[in-house]
């Protein structure tokens, strides 16, 4: 069920019996010469909607701009400062709790959001207002990702390329896949760490074209396998979370 497509009386019926919502979040940032800047939010929204369709749970509108200053050197990248992002998402969830939601799955497709979504979840958890957890699609199916791609990459690589080939193939610049691979790098690079310390802050410090991995290894068929497997994981997570008594989810008392 998509919140934005329902009327308020229809949503009232949902809130009478259900207390879970999916919140898709991504980014609008460079994904190399071959993928659209909306890659992350396209993936997040598609997964959240698919899970909502299969389970009947509520899916909110998508948060399209995330924490992406580390991609700022590339044209068109958009971002909000981390404190602003955290406060916005926290306020969004508090809005949902006003209507009766007490558990939320952040359907996330941008690595830069992870730490901040975890912090938002902690704030809500500590106040016993809601139990909100961050879910990252590729982290739910690591074995399949490794099986499908010999040279994976954390950004603009074959897994994201394959997903967009499956979800929005018309947006993939297939004639630039070789350029993406040749101008990018396999991560981590030899000079990205030194003596146990990360020696970089921005994506461009490691990759001149902003991408990592072998994009030529991606296909729409592989993307479909990734999408179906991740959707199944998300549905199972939602069903598990819905079954938990809320008193078991709130912060434990001091010993």
């Amino acid at each position: 069920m998509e919140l934005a497509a329902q009327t308020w009386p229809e949503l009232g019926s949902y809130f009478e019996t259900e207390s879970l919502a999916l919140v898709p979040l991504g980014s609008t940032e460079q994904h190399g010469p071959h993928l659209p800047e909306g890659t992350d939010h396209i993936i997040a929204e598609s997964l959240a909607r698919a899970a909502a369709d299969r389970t009947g749970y509520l899916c909110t509108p998508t948060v399209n701009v995330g924490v992406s200053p580390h991609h700022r050197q590339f044209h068109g990248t958009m971002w909000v400062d981390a404190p602003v992002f955290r406060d916005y998402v926290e306020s969004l969830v508090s809005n949902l709790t006003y209507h009766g939601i007490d558990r939320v799955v952040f359907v996330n497709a941008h690595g830069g959001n992870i730490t901040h979504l975890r912090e938002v979840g902690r704030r809500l958890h500590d106040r016993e207002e809601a139990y909100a957890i961050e879910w990252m699609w590729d982290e739910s199916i690591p074995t399949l990702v490794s099986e499908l791609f010999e040279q994976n990459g954390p950004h603009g690589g074959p897994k994201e390329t394959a997903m967009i080939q499956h979800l929005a193939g018309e947006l993939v610049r297939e004639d630039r896949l070789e350029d993406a691979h040749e101008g990018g790098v396999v991560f981590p690079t030899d000079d990205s760490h030194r003596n146990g310390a990360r020696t970089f802050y921005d994506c461009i410090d490691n990759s001149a074209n902003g991408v990592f991995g072998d994009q030529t290894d991606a296909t729409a068929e592989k993307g479909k396998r990734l999408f179906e497997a991740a959707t199944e994981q998300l549905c199972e997570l939602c069903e598990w979370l819905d079954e938990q008594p809320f008193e078991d989810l709130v912060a434990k008392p001091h010993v």
Side-chain angles (χ1 to χ4, degrees):
M1 175 184 288
E2 292 184 42
L3 187 152
Q6 309 303 312
T7 67
W8 70 262
E10 292 166 341
L11 288 167
S13 298
Y14 179 85
F15 294 130
E16 285 178 2
T17 58
E18 301 289 351
S19 61
L20 187 147
L22 298 99
V23 179
L25 306 99
S27 69
T28 300
E29 63 183 25
Q30 72 84 18
H31 275 78
H34 63 303
L35 291 179
E37 304 229 344
T39 289
D40 288 344
H41 70 248
I42 291 171
I43 293 173
E45 183 173 290
S46 298
L47 287 165
R49 286 183 172 180
D53 287 344
R54 297 182 192 186
T55 62
Y57 295 121
L58 189 68
C59 178
T60 73
T62 304
V63 178
N64 289 340
V65 178
V67 183
S68 303
H70 49 294
H71 293 292
R72 67 188 184 277
Q73 289 91 348
F74 298 94
H75 301 307
T77 291
M78 301 183 68
W79 71 92
V80 293
D81 290 337
V84 175
F85 177 81
R86 291 193 295 265
D87 289 347
Y88 177 86
V89 175
E90 183 178 358
S91 180
L92 186 155
V93 176
S94 292
N95 166 252
L96 292 172
T97 66
Y98 176 82
H99 295 297
I101 296 297
D102 62 16
R103 57 205 75 195
V104 169
V105 177
F106 294 130
V107 182
N108 182 36
H110 174 50
N113 293 341
I114 294 175
T115 300
H116 310 292
L117 292 174
R118 288 286 299 170
E119 172 60 24
V120 170
R122 172 168 289 282
R123 294 179 188 177
L124 295 163
H125 181 254
D126 289 350
R127 293 202 304 270
E128 300 187 2
E129 183 176 352
Y131 188 80
I133 52 176
E134 185 269 341
W135 178 83
M136 185 77 175
W137 72 270
D138 58 313
E139 293 182 1
S140 75
I141 50 171
T143 301
L144 179 59
V145 172
S146 297
E147 173 189 325
L148 292 179
F149 308 113
E150 184 174 346
Q151 291 188 357
N152 190 27
H155 184 75
K159 64 188 178 189
E160 289 185 323
T161 302
M163 284 284 269
I164 298 300
Q165 285 173 323
H166 169 58
L167 296 171
E170 71 281 2
L171 298 180
V172 180
R173 280 60 168 178
E174 296 284 348
D175 60 335
R176 302 299 304 277
L177 294 181
E178 288 286 352
D179 294 342
H181 177 48
E182 292 174 4
V185 297
V186 176
F187 190 84
T189 60
D190 291 340
D191 57 355
S192 64
H193 291 74
R194 183 175 295 275
N195 301 102
R198 296 199 337 172
T199 57
F200 61 93
Y201 283 97
D202 297 328
C203 177
I204 201 169
D205 293 337
N206 292 312
S207 174
N209 70 358
V211 295
F212 307 91
D214 184 3
Q215 296 77 14
T216 63
D217 199 23
T219 66
E221 290 73 23
K222 291 180 179 180
K224 182 177 181 180
R225 289 184 62 186
L226 293 172
F227 184 79
E228 290 300 323
T231 300
E232 182 177 346
Q233 292 292 319
L234 179 55
C235 289
E236 290 181 5
L237 175 62
C238 290
E239 296 288 4
W240 170 83
L241 183 56
D242 185 54
E243 292 172 0
Q244 307 310 303
F246 188 68
E247 57 268 22
D248 291 347
L249 297 173
V250 298
K252 302 297 185 290
H254 191 287
V255 295

